[in-house]
Amino acid sequence: AVAGVSVAFTVLKMDAGPLLRQEERPLVGDEQEPPLLLELFERGTELLLDALPSVWDGSCAGQLAPQEDARATKAAKLSTADAELRLEQLSASEAHNKVRAFAGWPGTWTRLSICGAEPIRVKLLQTRLGLPEAAGDPPPAGRQVALAAGGGALRLVCGDGSLLEVLRLTLPGKKPVDARAFWNGLNGRRAEWASAPPDAAAAPEHAAASAPPEPLAAAVGAKRQRVEVTEPPPPGFTWGGKY
């Protein structure tokens, strides 16, 4: 897999201008969005500064390459609902990639139950793919959470049987901790990941509390609103005047 940056001319169509510079950045599989975005932004700035002289003197015309529209891929708009990791529906690779991609926003969380108590939302900050066949470190049974040999990760088996390892996480109202600190905090209690309730919709946390009241929501969604003025204008006010 690769990421990359492009320097392109702007045209009226979105992301369709001819390319002046383009560079790929191979991915090793553990990059996260915030530092990778900064790295690519800085590299893109360097490529832009390198290309500008040819733009000013017009010599760039022979270097331009058209974009291949047929190879473009469209990404769906993200929302806070995408932050939920339903491990019963995901492979370890899919969960790991979501944690990496959503590290800046919207983040990722899943449900953990401790000693059979009501599941809580736990934010997963850093993960990696586990190796089920690792010698002397068998995968945990069922949905149990186990500490990997060496204590560097929490191991859990996703719904398809693949193994995900969690390196850093955050409990509700707490600071981020590593796998060893979380495990020590359990004090021998059992932890398991939990499925979403059957009637749970993939909605952001506190969505009901943060949603606007119905009249406001209707106004936001409307294309045009008519405002009726029932009070006379203040002294000195002229309709259409500039202030």
Side-chain angles (χ1 to χ4, degrees):
V2 298
V5 292
S6 299
V7 177
F9 278 85
T10 56
V11 295
L12 292 179
K13 187 177 179 181
M14 177 68 72
D15 293 334
L19 299 172
L20 183 56
R21 294 285 191 278
Q22 191 172 67
E23 184 174 285
E24 291 186 347
R25 198 282 200 182
L27 300 177
V28 299
D30 60 359
E31 297 88 351
Q32 291 199 331
E33 182 269 337
L36 179 60
L37 178 62
L38 178 59
E39 176 190 330
L40 295 177
F41 181 85
E42 292 176 343
R43 182 54 184 156
T45 302
E46 294 172 353
L47 293 177
L48 173 62
L49 293 176
D50 178 69
L52 281 177
S54 67
V55 175
W56 304 145
D57 63 22
S59 62
C60 69
Q63 307 173 29
L64 298 179
Q67 295 198 45
E68 300 180 52
D69 293 343
R71 298 181 60 188
T73 57
K74 295 183 179 180
K77 184 177 180 180
L78 296 177
S79 72
T80 51
D82 295 309
E84 181 180 4
L85 292 183
R86 298 193 174 190
L87 298 178
E88 69 275 15
Q89 301 175 3
L90 298 174
S91 67
S93 179
E94 291 170 331
H96 174 59
N97 287 337
K98 289 187 71 172
V99 172
R100 295 168 55 214
F102 300 164
W105 186 91
T108 47
W109 61 269
T110 194
R111 294 176 172 84
L112 283 187
S113 174
I114 299 176
C115 281
E118 184 73 17
I120 58 176
R121 293 188 178 191
V122 177
K123 295 181 180 180
L124 305 187
L125 305 179
Q126 186 179 3
T127 58
R128 69 186 181 198
L129 298 179
L131 299 176
E133 66 278 7
D137 198 8
R143 298 187 173 193
Q144 291 185 28
V145 177
L147 186 66
L154 300 170
R155 311 183 91 211
L156 49 89
V157 177
C158 295
D160 70 340
S162 56
L163 188 63
L164 179 69
E165 295 189 343
V166 180
L167 307 180
R168 296 176 62 245
L169 65 163
T170 303
L171 295 174
K174 302 295 184 180
K175 295 181 179 180
V177 295
D178 60 20
R180 171 68 75 179
F182 172 81
W183 187 259
N184 291 341
L186 289 177
N187 290 321
R189 294 175 295 174
R190 184 184 74 258
E192 298 179 326
W193 64 265
S195 299
D199 58 346
E205 189 173 7
H206 307 310
S210 61
E214 291 186 3
L216 178 58
V220 171
K223 293 184 178 180
R224 180 179 299 175
Q225 294 291 318
R226 184 178 66 180
V227 179
E228 295 183 357
V229 179
T230 57
E231 296 291 336
F237 178 86
T238 303
W239 294 108
K242 296 182 178 179
Y243 298 92

